[in-house]
Amino acid sequence: MEVNMSFSHDMDDEYEKLIRRMNPPRVVIDNDSCKNATVIRVDSANEHGILLEVVQVLTDLNLIITKAYISSDGCWFMDVFNVTDQDGNKVTNEGVLDYIQKSLGPESCFISSMRSVGVTPSMDHTAIELTGSDRPGLLSEVSAVLTHLKCNVVGAEVWTHNTRAAAVMHVTDEETGSPISDPERLSRIKALLCNVLKGSNKSRGAKTVVSHGVTHTDRRLHQMMFADRDYERSDNNEYSDEKQRPNVSVVNWCDKDYSVVTIRSKDRPKLLFDTVCTLTDMKYVVYHANIDAEGQECYQEYYIRHVDGSPVKSDAERQRVIHCLEAAIERRVSEGLKLELCTTDRVGLLSDVTRIFRENSLTVTRAEVTTKGGKAMNTFYVGDASGYPVDSKTIDSIRQVIGQTILKVKGNPEELKSGSQESPTRFLFGGLFKSRSFVNFGLVRSYS
């Protein structure tokens, strides 16, 4: 029986390859037919996940999708996207256009549709995936433990939603700058981080996973939070303002055996990726879709079936789809004050900066940490740990310590009106933090 099943699977795989060989993907990029956007048309043999692949390519290039029309009835997939760059202009960069052709055109047809576009196998860092209960100071504690364990954080993305937190952190060995591969050391890192994530909350689990493979950070964060059931709401964490909540509905179109999902929400970057990613990971196939995001609000309409060919079967399933899509939209919503830090990278930088936030009663709701060419370019969304609006005096005090020219406040004019003088860059981190590690404060040993 197992031999027959294996043979059948191999035959199906070969048949799919033959179909793709006979019908290679076609990509047409048109900068003439639309006045204010570049039109990208993608035609290819249909398979589960192909829509996510296309959207992922465009999103990873930081393109804005203003309109989209999707049709994939039968064995053929046809997509039309209207896209612009971050400034709202047509896409004219030849390098970007060439990348789109190579990523989605005939050269890509023998690569799995579930590949991580724009991500290469990790040969230069170790990826650590973390999920657990959110609380003020969590990122500070995690960063401190990694610094204590002589791990340098070269990249990270942190999301929080519905009292849960998830992070993908890329680390290297402090001394060699190489990935960490020693099994005993990795086991110790996992154990200590898991203790930090658990904290005093024993009602929900914490998880730490170490990986050396390919990972698409945004997709993994969605998968991690979905697996952690962050979409489950309790009565005490519902929206205080229902107007902020995305409007998601699911109804069955019985004549065509589709379930129709409609979403109305405030538009933002990567919104389409987030919803398509969630539908794909929930094992739904999008047969038709219409996306309109030209204004402040985004309208999305999907005609879906489960991979088994059935529409949504019950009210419980319908509610689950609604809650999961709401969660997917909310996870990336940028709550809090936006702070941008740009300075020379060094070991322990993330630990020091987040410690300062913690000491000033700020909690990080989302973070993006990148290192390029020896420069750290970090973005933090912070809020007051007590739930009150962030005090401008607190932000001014933090900027005095870190450096006005290094830590920028974005999106809040009140904090930008601070009258304090610029602190010289030469004082930054030089001797300020050398003796002020978490180890000296005894905050690491409590988790060992």
Side-chain angles (χ1 to χ4, degrees):
M1 179 65 72
E2 290 183 1
V3 173
N4 289 337
M5 290 180 65
S6 176
F7 178 75
S8 176
H9 176 76
D10 290 342
M11 287 293 291
D12 289 342
D13 189 51
E14 289 301 317
Y15 178 72
E16 289 181 4
K17 288 181 180 179
L18 176 62
I19 293 297
R20 288 196 296 269
R21 189 180 296 113
M22 294 174 61
N23 302 281
R26 295 194 299 268
V27 179
V28 177
I29 301 176
D30 177 9
N31 263 322
D32 298 323
S33 62
C34 182
K35 181 180 179 180
N36 54 7
T38 297
V39 179
I40 300 175
R41 176 175 171 175
V42 182
D43 300 335
S44 77
N46 191 24
E47 57 184 287
H48 182 55
I50 187 70
L51 175 59
L52 175 58
E53 176 182 345
V54 175
V55 173
Q56 188 170 298
V57 168
L58 300 178
T59 302
D60 286 349
L61 291 169
N62 291 319
L63 300 180
I64 305 298
I65 300 172
T66 58
K67 282 182 178 290
Y69 308 92
I70 291 115
S71 179
S72 62
D73 260 343
C75 297
W76 198 249
F77 169 87
M78 292 180 289
D79 252 8
V80 179
F81 296 93
N82 287 15
V83 304
T84 68
D85 62 18
Q86 291 287 310
D87 298 320
N89 302 316
K90 292 185 179 183
V91 183
T92 56
N93 184 292
E94 290 298 329
V96 172
L97 299 178
D98 184 60
Y99 181 84
I100 294 172
Q101 285 281 3
K102 289 181 177 178
S103 297
L104 301 176
E107 296 178 38
S108 69
C109 65
F110 298 114
I111 302 174
S112 167
S113 67
M114 305 309 286
R115 70 181 185 270
S116 293
V117 179
V119 180
T120 56
S122 173
M123 302 299 292
D124 54 358
H125 62 252
T126 300
I128 301 176
E129 300 175 356
L130 310 169
T131 52
S133 297
D134 186 30
R135 65 177 184 274
L138 179 60
L139 180 58
S140 174
E141 295 172 30
V142 168
S143 304
V145 169
L146 289 172
T147 299
H148 176 58
L149 294 171
K150 299 188 181 303
C151 300
N152 185 34
V153 179
V154 295
E157 187 144 353
V158 182
W159 290 0
T160 63
H161 176 250
N162 196 17
T163 75
R164 307 301 294 170
V168 176
M169 311 189 80
H170 298 156
V171 302
T172 58
D173 179 74
E174 175 184 321
E175 295 180 358
T176 65
S178 303
I180 301 168
S181 57
D182 179 64
E184 290 187 9
R185 186 177 178 190
L186 291 175
S187 179
R188 176 168 169 76
I189 291 171
K190 288 173 62 176
L192 290 180
L193 289 177
C194 205
N195 286 340
V196 172
L197 289 167
K198 287 178 180 176
S200 59
N201 187 348
K202 306 300 181 184
S203 61
R204 291 286 294 270
K207 188 175 182 181
T208 307
V209 176
V210 176
S211 170
H212 296 282
V214 176
T215 181
H216 185 275
T217 301
D218 289 1
R219 179 138 192 237
R220 281 300 299 144
L221 285 166
H222 275 303
Q223 291 172 331
M224 290 158 61
M225 299 203 89
F226 174 72
D228 197 40
R229 306 192 311 278
D230 74 312
Y231 53 85
E232 295 180 350
R233 296 183 182 278
S234 59
D235 293 337
N236 60 357
N237 58 28
E238 291 284 349
Y239 267 90
S240 58
D241 184 0
E242 285 294 324
K243 292 181 180 179
Q244 298 179 9
R245 190 169 184 172
N247 186 333
V248 183
S249 68
V250 180
V251 297
N252 281 356
W253 186 12
C254 298
D255 291 346
K256 299 292 184 179
D257 262 355
Y258 290 125
S259 290
V260 183
V261 177
T262 57
I263 302 171
R264 292 183 184 274
S265 71
K266 183 179 178 181
D267 192 30
R268 61 163 174 76
K270 301 188 178 183
L271 179 61
L272 180 59
F273 170 84
D274 294 337
T275 53
V276 171
C277 181
T278 297
L279 288 171
T280 303
D281 287 339
M282 293 183 73
K283 307 300 182 185
Y284 291 103
V285 178
V286 175
Y287 286 85
H288 301 280
N290 179 35
I291 313 299
D292 187 348
E294 286 193 314
Q296 295 296 313
E297 183 181 70
C298 179
Y299 174 80
Q300 303 181 21
E301 184 178 73
Y302 299 97
Y303 294 76
I304 66 169
R305 293 178 188 145
H306 195 267
V307 288
D308 64 8
S310 65
V312 172
K313 299 176 182 177
S314 65
D315 187 61
E317 183 183 356
R318 184 179 69 85
Q319 289 296 328
R320 187 169 183 263
V321 172
I322 291 173
H323 292 159
C324 288
L325 286 171
E326 287 176 346
I329 295 168
E330 294 162 9
R331 287 170 193 148
R332 207 196 291 267
V333 171
S334 303
E335 295 181 357
L337 187 67
K338 183 179 180 181
L339 303 178
E340 292 183 352
L341 182 143
C342 181
T343 187
T344 302
D345 186 41
R346 63 170 177 80
V347 175
L349 176 62
L350 182 62
S351 176
D352 289 333
V353 172
T354 53
R355 172 180 57 76
I356 293 173
F357 292 163
R358 184 184 186 187
E359 290 174 349
N360 285 273
S361 299
L362 295 184
T363 182
V364 178
T365 59
R366 192 160 73 86
E368 299 173 10
V369 176
T370 58
T371 305
K372 187 175 181 180
K375 284 282 186 181
M377 295 168 284
N378 303 342
T379 300
F380 303 95
Y381 293 88
V382 301
D384 185 88
S386 301
Y388 296 104
V390 177
D391 191 338
S392 60
K393 294 181 180 178
T394 299
I395 296 298
D396 187 59
S397 175
I398 291 173
R399 295 184 71 203
Q400 284 287 346
V401 174
I402 295 178
Q404 301 271 357
T405 59
I406 300 305
L407 187 66
K408 303 288 187 180
V409 182
K410 299 292 183 177
N412 193 321
E414 292 302 314
E415 275 71 28
L416 293 174
K417 293 178 182 178
S418 171
S420 59
Q421 295 181 347
E422 302 260 304
S423 59
T425 302
R426 63 177 178 272
F427 294 148
L428 277 177
F429 307 122
L432 185 61
F433 303 135
K434 285 184 178 178
S435 62
R436 300 187 64 193
S437 70
F438 271 90
V439 179
N440 292 335
F441 291 142
L443 295 178
V444 171
R445 288 190 294 272
S446 61
Y447 295 110
S448 59

